[in-house]
């Protein structure tokens, strides 16, 4: 894979396009041969709302590239340009490797090349991608996916993660690691994008359930069970489960678990509490239990999450 073409279009985003240019377009003499890199798109293409890009290569130049990178789009509700979709589809049919950065996945999906494949995009837009293109196996939790000939990344900085992954595929891990050091970024980040998504709050529901949720949220440190919730709501466990699931989309037990993970995230970000104490304050019981469930939910252990997201000001204030 020696030639890389970056596809720009009206509505393309600046950050992701720049990441591709930095990785594939600058030869830092880390290996004998680097990429033949071209930026392709209509003349004077607006980029990120601030710039207009002049390039001698139109979208027809995608047809000759070994790898085609599609930058993110600013508006997922606007259909991508038909000529871009056609060029991406033609490149795929010819055997090119296709790469989407962030919401560029919507372009690949419109071209039909994600059908039956696992793909990702920014966590805020994953549900929209899955709803609009039901044949795509959307994974909202990972930083990127690699389906060999079609690769997709999550939002913003995850585009850099995927670009470095491609360099590792093409030139080896040592070259990718050296490039990451030059760019002052990690060559590989732990976990997925679930750790970056906004922690879910208690949803608004019918008044009876909203009161029950508020009651439970004040007692997350207690070993609450579904029968405890049912007694509080004056319902049978079966009736509570049916009504709770209809109102929130979650069973009572899953909702409790989600709120305990949410509370653990808050405490890791804003306090100096040990993992053992946080396990107690969130009703997880032991540090081992918290670590197991936290890693399963977010892809990283609590200590790594705290190191990444620690709110220094909040922690100092709490202390």
């Amino acid at each position: 894979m020696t030639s890389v073409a970056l596809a720009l279009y009206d509505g393309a985003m600046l950050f992701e396009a720049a990441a591709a240019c930095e990785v594939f377009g600058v030869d830092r003499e880390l290996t004998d041969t680097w990429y033949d890199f071209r930026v392709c798109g209509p003349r004077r293409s607006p980029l990120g709302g601030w710039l207009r890009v002049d390039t001698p290569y139109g979208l027809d130049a995608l047809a000759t590239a070994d790898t085609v990178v599609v930058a993110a789009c600013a508006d997922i509700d606007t259909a991508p340009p038909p000529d871009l979709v056609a060029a991406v589809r033609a490149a795929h049919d010819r055997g090119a490797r296709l790469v989407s950065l962030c919401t560029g996945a919507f372009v690949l999906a419109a071209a039909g090349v994600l059908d039956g494949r696992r793909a990702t995009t920014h966590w805020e837009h994953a549900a929209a991608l899955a709803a609009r293109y039901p044949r795509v196996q959307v994974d909202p939790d990972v930083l990127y996916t690699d389906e060999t000939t079609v690769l997709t990344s999550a939002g913003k900085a995850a585009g850099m993660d995927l670009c470095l992954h491609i360099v590792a595929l093409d030139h080896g891990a040592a070259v990718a690691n050296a490039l990451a050091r030059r760019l002052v970024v990690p060559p590989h980040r732990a976990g997925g994008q679930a750790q970056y998504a906004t922690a879910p709050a208690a949803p608004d529901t019918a008044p009876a359930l909203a009161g029950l949720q508020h009651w439970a949220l004040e007692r997350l440190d207690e070993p609450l069970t579904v029968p405890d919730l049912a007694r509080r709501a004056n319902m049978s466990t079966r009736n509570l489960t049916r009504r709770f699931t209809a109102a929130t989309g979650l069973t009572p037990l899953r909702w409790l678990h989600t709120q305990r993970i949410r509370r653990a995230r808050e405490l890791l970000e804003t306090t100096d509490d040990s993992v053992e104490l946080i396990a107690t304050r969130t009703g997880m019981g032991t540090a081992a239990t918290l670590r197991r469930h936290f890693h399963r939910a977010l892809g990283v252990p609590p200590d790594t999450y705290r190191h990444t997201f620690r709110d220094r000001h909040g922690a100092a204030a709490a202390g």
Side-chain angles (χ1 to χ4, degrees), residues 8-23:
L8 295 185
Y9 52 97
D10 189 357
M13 298 292 287
L14 177 60
F15 185 94
E16 294 81 351
C21 291
E22 280 292 326
V23 171

Side-chain angles (χ1 to χ4, degrees), residues 9 70-73 99-109 114 121 152-153:
Y9 52 97
V70 180
C73 59
V99 179
S100 68
L101 305 181
C102 192
T103 49
F106 284 82
V107 177
L108 267 56
L114 295 183
T121 188
T152 62
S153 84

Side-chain angles (χ1 to χ4, degrees), residues 9-11 59 70-71 73 75-86 88 103-111 132-133:
Y9 52 97
D10 189 357
L59 291 175
V70 180
C73 59
D75 183 4
I76 65 169
D77 295 323
T78 299
D83 55 345
L84 172 64
V85 173
V88 167
T103 49
F106 284 82
V107 177
L108 267 56
R132 194 171 306 168
Y133 302 100

Side-chain angles (χ1 to χ4, degrees), residues 19-302:
C21 291
E22 280 292 326
V23 171
F24 302 116
V26 180
D27 186 354
R28 294 176 171 83
E29 300 181 351
L30 300 173
T31 185
D32 292 339
T33 59
W34 200 240
Y35 299 96
D36 175 16
F37 181 72
R38 296 179 177 180
V39 178
C40 306
R43 295 296 300 269
R44 304 287 292 167
S45 296
L47 181 60
W50 296 284
L51 306 174
R52 289 190 178 274
V53 179
D54 276 330
T55 172
Y57 304 104
L59 291 175
D60 57 322
L62 300 182
T64 62
D66 297 314
T67 298
V68 173
V69 180
V70 180
C73 59
D75 183 4
I76 65 169
D77 295 323
T78 299
D83 55 345
L84 172 64
V85 173
V88 167
R89 180 73 223 183
H92 172 73
D93 291 343
R94 185 183 49 79
R97 178 173 60 182
L98 300 183
V99 179
S100 68
L101 305 181
C102 192
T103 49
F106 284 82
V107 177
L108 267 56
V113 301
L114 295 183
D115 289 354
R117 286 188 167 94
R118 182 166 164 262
T120 194
T121 188
H122 192 290
W123 59 267
E124 283 189 315
H125 305 301
L129 181 65
R132 194 171 306 168
Y133 302 100
R135 297 183 63 185
V136 180
Q137 300 169 17
V138 179
D139 187 342
D141 295 332
V142 296
L143 294 176
Y144 57 82
T145 65
D146 181 348
E147 295 283 289
T148 307
T149 58
V150 180
L151 301 90
T152 62
S153 84
K156 296 299 179 183
M160 180 66 77
D161 294 314
L162 179 54
C163 289
L164 289 171
H165 171 71
I166 292 170
V167 172
L169 292 175
D170 295 343
H171 297 286
V175 172
N177 291 345
L179 176 57
R181 284 192 289 271
R182 292 282 188 91
L183 297 174
V184 198
V185 297
H188 176 77
R189 284 191 290 165
Q193 67 169 327
Q195 60 186 305
Y196 300 94
T198 303
D204 293 330
T205 61
L209 290 183
L212 177 64
Q213 289 174 324
H214 181 73
W215 178 84
L217 287 172
E218 291 185 332
R219 294 164 176 80
L220 286 180
D221 59 326
E222 300 177 12
L224 294 177
T225 64
V226 175
D228 292 332
L229 297 179
R231 281 192 292 271
R232 176 68 185 182
N234 293 318
M235 300 180 191
S236 67
T237 56
R238 183 175 181 178
N239 190 34
L240 173 67
T241 299
R242 179 180 58 81
R243 291 187 58 184
F244 206 101
T245 304
T248 69
L250 300 173
T251 65
L253 186 61
R254 173 54 59 185
W255 180 85
L256 267 176
H257 179 76
T258 299
Q259 297 310 313
R260 284 184 166 126
I261 294 295
R262 178 189 64 83
R263 181 68 56 79
R265 291 174 66 173
E266 292 177 351
L267 294 174
L268 287 165
E269 292 175 19
T270 61
T271 76
D272 294 317
D273 290 353
S274 67
V275 174
E276 289 77 8
L277 180 55
I278 291 175
T280 300
R281 293 182 63 181
T282 57
M284 290 286 189
T286 67
T289 300
L290 173 59
R291 287 190 172 97
R292 182 172 69 254
H293 288 296
F294 198 93
H295 195 287
R296 184 177 300 163
L298 299 183
V300 292

